[in-house]
Amino acid sequence: YDTAPVLAQLIDHKPDILPSLLQKLKGGNLAADFAGEMVSVYNKKFPEDISKIADLIPLLNHSDTWARIELARYFNEICRKKKIQNYDNEIREKILESLIILTKDKNPESDGTITSNNPKPDDAITRGINSVRGIATEALVAYLHYFPEDQTASSRLKELADDHTKAVKATLI
């Protein structure tokens, strides 16, 4: 029986328990879909509460890749909207702090099976846009579109241009 959807339903009905649940599960060996589905539901429950979403990042295990991808996608969506310019400095700093953390994620670890020069499931861009670090890199590019003078974001983007994977570099194109 797959309990991940059941936990996601629980979070749908009682979303405020997720942070304490993740804290209790931290360090454990959770199936990838557990945290991922719960974080996905949580993001939908609090789409405008950026700080609340950002506060989930340190509660996740490094192995919770699906959940971290969900968070990277959440921040990517926020950074692509012009409305980001209207957020106060505290929220913008929380967004940038989250992006910096997510762009340092281990996923993707290597280019592994990337051998194609044509768009196929194993090409670099496909891999990049489906990885934590790649999605967060795309979000950082969007963030810099609206805040081109941000030195912290700019410096991190320059570091990502030398990423050890083609997958992340491809998201900069």
Side-chain angles (χ1 to χ4, degrees):
Y1 183 71
D2 188 2
T3 56
V6 174
L7 288 173
Q9 286 177 347
L10 175 64
I11 300 306
D12 190 37
H13 294 296
K14 296 184 179 243
D16 287 322
I17 68 166
L18 183 60
S20 63
L21 183 60
L22 288 175
Q23 185 66 45
K24 288 176 183 160
L25 296 172
K26 188 157 175 95
N29 195 6
L30 252 171
D33 54 342
F34 277 42
E37 285 195 44
M38 291 188 296
V39 167
S40 177
V41 168
Y42 192 83
N43 288 354
K44 290 173 185 148
K45 284 299 213 183
F46 302 107
E48 297 297 319
D49 198 338
I50 294 165
S51 289
K52 199 170 213 167
I53 303 294
D55 289 344
L56 293 179
I57 295 171
L59 300 176
L60 294 170
N61 292 313
H62 289 288
S63 61
D64 293 331
T65 303
W66 181 357
R68 298 170 81 75
I69 284 173
E70 290 293 335
L71 292 173
R73 286 182 176 145
Y74 170 83
F75 286 106
N76 194 10
E77 187 176 317
I78 284 174
C79 290
R80 291 178 178 278
K81 295 179 181 171
K82 189 173 185 173
K83 160 175 151 172
I84 193 173
Q85 295 174 306
N86 300 330
Y87 293 136
D88 64 32
N89 284 340
E90 183 180 332
I91 295 297
R92 285 201 337 248
E93 287 173 17
K94 196 73 158 170
I95 292 168
L96 181 58
E97 175 186 314
S98 298
L99 292 177
I100 298 297
I101 292 168
L102 293 168
T103 60
K104 293 180 179 180
D105 196 89
K106 69 177 184 172
N107 175 263
E109 291 184 43
S110 69
D111 287 320
T113 60
I114 296 176
T115 56
S116 172
N117 289 331
N118 299 313
K120 289 185 180 176
D122 282 346
D123 71 356
I125 190 69
T126 301
R127 240 201 191 155
I129 64 173
N130 288 297
S131 70
V132 177
R133 207 164 62 252
I135 297 166
T137 298
E138 286 185 304
L140 190 60
V141 170
Y143 179 92
L144 275 163
H145 171 76
Y146 293 110
F147 306 106
E149 303 300 318
D150 190 305
Q151 292 301 308
T152 302
S154 181
S155 293
R156 181 65 187 133
L157 193 62
K158 288 175 186 170
E159 291 170 7
L160 288 162
D162 290 327
D163 194 85
H164 67 277
T165 65
K166 293 175 187 171
V168 171
K169 290 178 189 175
T171 63
L172 293 170
I173 297 173

